[in-house]
Amino acid sequence: MEGGAELLFYVNGRKVIEKNVDPETMLLPYLRKKFRLTGTKYGCGGGGCGACTVMISRYNPITKKIRHYPANACLTPICSLYGAAITTVEGIGSSKTRIHPVQERIAKCHGTQCGFCTPGMVMSMYTLLRNHPEPTLSQLNDALGGNLCRCTGYRPIIDACKTFCKTSGCCQSKENGVCCLDQGINGLPEFEEGNETSLKLFSEEEFLPLDPTQELIFPPELMTMAEKKTQKTRIFGSDRMTWISPVTLKELLEAKVKYPQAPVVMGNTSVGPDMKFKGIFHPVIISPDRIEELSVVNYTDNGLTIGAAVSLAEMKDILANVTRKLPEEKTQMYHALLKHLGTLAGPQIRNMASLGGHIVSRHPDSDLNPLLAVGNCTLNLLSKEGKRQIPLNEQFLRKCPSADLKPEEILISVNIPYSKKWEFVSAFRQAQRQQNALAIVNSGMRVCFGKGDGIIRELSIAYGGVGPTTILAKNSCQKLIGRPWNEEMLDAACRLILDEVSLPGSAPGGKVEFKRTLIISFLFKFYLEVSQILKEMDPVHYPSLASKYESALEDLHSRHYWSTLKYQNADLKQLSQDPIGHPIMHLSGIKHATGEAIYCDDMPVVDRELFLTFVTSSRARAKIVSIDLSEALSLPGVVDILTGEHLPGITTNFGFLTDTEQLLSTDEVSCVGQLICAVIADSEVQARRAAQRVKIVYRDLEPLILTIEEAIQNKSFFEPERKLEYGNVDEAFKMVDQILEGEIHMGGQEHFYMETQSMLVVPKGEDQEIDVYVSTQFPKYIQDITAAVLKVAANKVMCHVKRVGGAFGGKVTKTGVLAAITAFAASKHGRPVRCILERGEDILITGGRHPYLGKYKVGFMNDGRILALDMEHYNNAGAFLDESLFVIEMGLLKLENAYKFPNLRCRGWACRTNLPSNTALRGFGFPQAGLITEACITEVAAKCGLPPEKVRTVNMYKEIDQTPYKQEINAKNLIQCWKECMATSSYTLRKAAVEKFNSENYWKKKGLAMVPLKFPVGVGSVAAGQAAALVHIYLDGSVLVTHGGIEMGQGVHTKMIQVVSRELKMPLSSIHLRGTSTETIPNTNPSGGSVVADLNGLAVKDACQTLLKRLEPIISKNPRGTWKDWAQAAFNESISLSATGYFRGYESNINWETGEGHPFEYFVYGAACSEVEIDCLTGAHKNIRTDIVMDVGYSINPALDIGQIEGAFIQGMGLYTIEELNYSPQGVLYTRGPNQYKIPAICDIPTELHISLLPPSENSNTLYSSKGLGESGIFLGCSVFFAIHDAISAARQERGLPGPLKLNSPLTPEKIRMACEDKFTKMIPRDEPGSYVPWSIPI
């Protein structure tokens, strides 16, 4: 077997033949670097986000069918693609040729914001349409289950895809036989006819039809190749690794004899991530290619035999088929497997991963192994010695040598027996997110009664996620055989199993008490399921379940999504071509969808380019004893390694950052992830390999401070303390009826922008000029810090930003440090340097939203009126100040949300801890401060015995009022939003319906909550609000505009072009915008704070008005002329056709000595009402419906504005429910990617979502009286938090549990389950604090 085979496959219809293949090459870098097909994006590198989705097509010579499936290019080794056809986003359509209907619709339905996830979405959707040209809604939701988006909140993406479904626009769930589109049903008011409101952001009539005949054909050459069976084993090798692809079973067995330790890889979804993230290296990999015997599907008399190479997606189809054909009693096992196959990973992974690989990997949290183990499945093995069969049992799962495959054996197929009469099988799992998330605990359970007497003959129960392997409760099951199926048996079973499946307090993965509870909660569900079936089969002998208990059996219902949007049509007095107020598509929408939009890392390689990667601290607080670079420097391709010695005395003390943080640490580290050195090499692979060889010796220092509580104990704060006082708090406490004290803790949040930190620095070669291309929100800061590090004037450093793939506040401070070091490397070597962080590095280095601790003491009257409020805010700032003090200040200024507290005192501290510095994140302190206030109000309501919305109403601002910092406020629109939200959500009706539901269901509870919003908008000083623009008119009448704002998905460039179009009365098509650069607009402010379009728009408007004033005489001479005529005439008369525009900033000031000022220009008002359903046994929750009403002034572009509101709402919902950061007791972050950290996916969005914008009322001095909406919507996500709170309260009340319920954020399944205390939570063993070291600590 000699190496050097040829690799042949097709990419977008082009034939590719590779001679010297490196087996370690994945498809993603191959497509991006070799073919410059940069539409396929890098998002996480682990198959968890879907940004790199491509379509793979293969021809099967036996069935004569072509299989199209989606795959994650980041995990697909190119060696596995022999004979396949790859289709990327560029291959289905482009703006140069013609765009594909999927691309057109996702763009025109406003399904793109930053656009970085869009090519992956497009390819997932495209693959679905290749297989099902008229998909159902559930196929659609499944198809997008493996793709994450951080900007849009998914609703517009679903809307775009729905246009391909058979019945578009309808939720397909005819409740009571009535379609939801017959308005008035479902508590939705009739919409007024007429032109005041509009309900569609796009018109479906104009879309290109889907024409399946126009798709790329499968290359005939690959068909002929597959039909010819003359191939032999292919071997690809590099100096590190050999890849062997046998094509017959005989060759496979021979390879396994020769390399017994080599893993057999099919989809690379298990070996791939292990090699990438765990550093496990395999010198030889065996990857069978289309060996028929491994793909068999045999229907035998006693069951089904499925080949080991069958993918999980194909297995799902096979089982779905079998369950349709066979009687139900035979298919119990198959139904259970199907249930788990529906939620296991995402469609990309399911199509790549094989059944055999899944079984043999034996992951402790495998979803299928517990089921297969209880189902008496057997494994068919083969080696040169011959065949044998082994049971898939506990010994096999524990990898006992006697029960495992021998090194030279290979798994051929799996036998899954039919179930018998009186045999029942069930599957259970609970994860942090309903889909595409590893289970926290999962289980397979099977019972067999032999006959209808209800006596247990066989019982088998297996659990995943509760130990190092899948665990079977063998002894417990043995002891229960012969017992009748009744409550006593259940009680005994719970105790036996808790005893047998024991979990130590320090178990990896944490959540120990939750896991113990799930173990027996699942058992109870199984008991109920079986009891109910027995009852149906033999109503005489079996007692019926209490009707209140039946709810435990139903899965949380998920109807198909539908949504309504209501916004104002543009002003009728407007000119017909004036675009302001119209839902104009995002300027780059089509380019996002075709993959033609260029992000930082998509820029072509520059000549002699180097790659830089960082070495970061692995200790949270330590002295650096020594750094040994020798081994790293000796590796091939390594050019240099920078340490702190190269960058003397430069700190990050610039402008708004007062803290001095060394760029590269030399003597001490104060958090894990702190930058220590930078490795520069010829390629990314070489740089990363070298970085792993840098040897650093540490000596740990005391004390290690991680939590806010530890910081308070050690008085570890950043100066100064901030304080806001209004009225006389101490006097007021003497006048009130009741006083209560409480506290709430809120976890942090990762930005999870889809495009990781990216930069490319190009030295120009003369005059020390240097160009920095970077994904940032703040080009001026990059320019300043780079100039300081290079010791040159700022006029030599130019920073350019075309677009940013999501930022949310995370591309400001840290980006500057990374760019400055990269620029230093480029300048030192006189060569371009690129630096692109991997997802795990990015999450670790950049920090996120501040965890908060809020303490309150509140004095109130019995009618719910709050007269006195004394609060303390603490945020976990991390090791360096960054923007933490500013976050505390904004939190204090906004903490009262929508309420007037006549006497208020609040103090705030930023805690210095040994965590990576936290920084700005959308909402900037308000989502934390607002939650503390709302939690306080909810507790006051409970104490007064009043509904929370009553207490909210009675404390709300009246129309003309004064804030705690004595700024005038008119809250008329706040009250209107609140009332309108009450009405559109049919609050009172649904509150009654929820109460009725809760009284009838013991194990499921619904909750309903409504939260108001007052979000002040302003940046704290006049200087921070200045903006500039530059507008050129060329002689052909076209316009080039540029301004200081950064396009990061919010559509600011689109709005700027709308402004120019209105001001110059010129069609949008004549106006162009190239990007943001310090070369055209100097001294810009950061893009953030919800004001980017506002401030820059006023500057653009100013420039346009300057031009119009100059051209007035020319236009009045020829009023009917075109812009081309006017421009030429102006040129002939020597009138300048270029103007700068400037806006000096809104009045804004705050004096912290007196606590008075006018820090904000205006307030965004809104209200949200959310309804959820929770499962009290597992902690799962389902978002049923959300109604949002917002006051947005006069919307410049309702499509973009609604996109901001929903995107922020879903991001906020994630913050308050499922996004959880885990740190070890040593301060090491565990959650470093989408596999551990769950942002909302398509399964999390509310089944019904209704958004309406208030009709505009007052004119203001903002841009066309609009309001900035970037951040305010985040807070509305807490309506889901309080709805869950309401549901838990209902459960606790019914169980007679004592009052006030303390719930911290995020409300994860763990917190929900443990708050719904019941006999199962009482039964579990609990560990004494201090008797063990927990896996993670709450931060």
Side-chain angles (χ1 to χ4, degrees), residues 953-972:
T953 314
V954 43
N955 286 296
M956 217 171 276
Y957 274 112
K958 305 298 170 273
E959 299 215 350
I960 303 293
D961 222 321
Q962 194 186 43
T963 65
Y965 38 90
K966 305 201 169 51
Q967 181 174 334
E968 286 293 304
I969 175 176
N970 178 354
K972 181 168 117 285

Side-chain angles (χ1 to χ4, degrees), residues 299 348 508 605 1085 1224:
Y299 301 86
Q348 294 91 329
V605 175
N1085 275 308
S1224 78

Side-chain angles (χ1 to χ4, degrees), residues 937 941-942 944-952 987 991:
I937 288 223
C944 296
L946 293 166
E949 66 280 5
K950 284 278 191 308
V951 178
R952 290 192 165 105
Y987 189 88
K991 185 84 184 153

Side-chain angles (χ1 to χ4, degrees), residues 71-268:
N72 292 115
C74 69
L75 285 181
T76 305
I78 53 171
C79 293
S80 67
L81 293 173
Y82 190 90
I86 316 296
T87 309
T88 70
V89 67
E90 292 91 348
I92 70 170
S94 84
S95 59
K96 297 178 190 67
T97 49
R98 42 173 232 122
I99 58 171
H100 190 274
V102 175
Q103 295 169 323
E104 176 196 48
R105 296 186 198 186
I106 206 161
K108 290 189 176 165
C109 298
H110 316 287
T112 82
Q113 285 182 25
C114 85
F116 200 80
C117 73
T118 312
M121 293 281 178
V122 166
M123 289 315 295
S124 284
M125 195 58 212
Y126 174 78
T127 311
L128 172 68
L129 294 175
R130 284 298 294 264
N131 293 319
H132 305 280
E134 282 200 331
T136 65
L137 274 166
S138 41
Q139 284 173 327
L140 184 156
N141 290 331
D142 277 349
L144 296 175
N147 291 75
L148 296 178
C149 168
R150 193 53 153 166
C151 301
T152 63
Y154 303 102
R155 194 266 324 151
I157 298 172
I158 293 176
D159 276 1
C161 300
K162 259 185 175 174
T163 61
F164 293 103
C165 292
K166 290 190 182 69
T167 49
S168 187
C170 166
C171 67
Q172 291 189 354
S173 81
K174 304 251 190 300
E175 296 233 319
N176 323 329
V178 188
C179 173
C180 66
L181 293 178
D182 310 340
Q183 294 300 332
I185 309 292
N186 268 331
L188 225 100
E190 302 276 346
F191 286 109
E192 318 86 274
E193 285 303 311
N195 53 16
E196 314 91 61
T197 58
S198 175
L199 302 168
K200 268 284 194 227
L201 292 170
F202 56 87
S203 58
E204 238 177 271
E205 297 69 56
E206 301 156 19
F207 290 157
L208 296 167
L210 179 69
D211 180 357
T213 61
Q214 295 296 300
E215 308 297 1
L216 278 173
I217 62 159
F218 186 78
E221 178 185 3
L222 295 181
M223 285 193 192
T224 352
M225 245 173 58
E227 298 282 359
K228 283 194 202 129
K229 298 229 172 66
T230 53
Q231 306 157 359
K232 59 177 200 322
T233 297
R234 290 183 298 279
I235 300 177
F236 307 105
S238 69
D239 47 2
R240 279 167 50 98
M241 185 197 258
T242 308
W243 180 283
I244 304 174
S245 269
V247 291
T248 65
L249 198 49
K250 180 169 168 293
E251 290 169 348
L252 172 60
L253 297 173
E254 279 166 11
K256 200 71 178 110
V257 169
K258 197 166 168 189
Y259 302 104
Q261 294 312 310
V264 179
V265 168
M266 288 301 302
N268 201 38

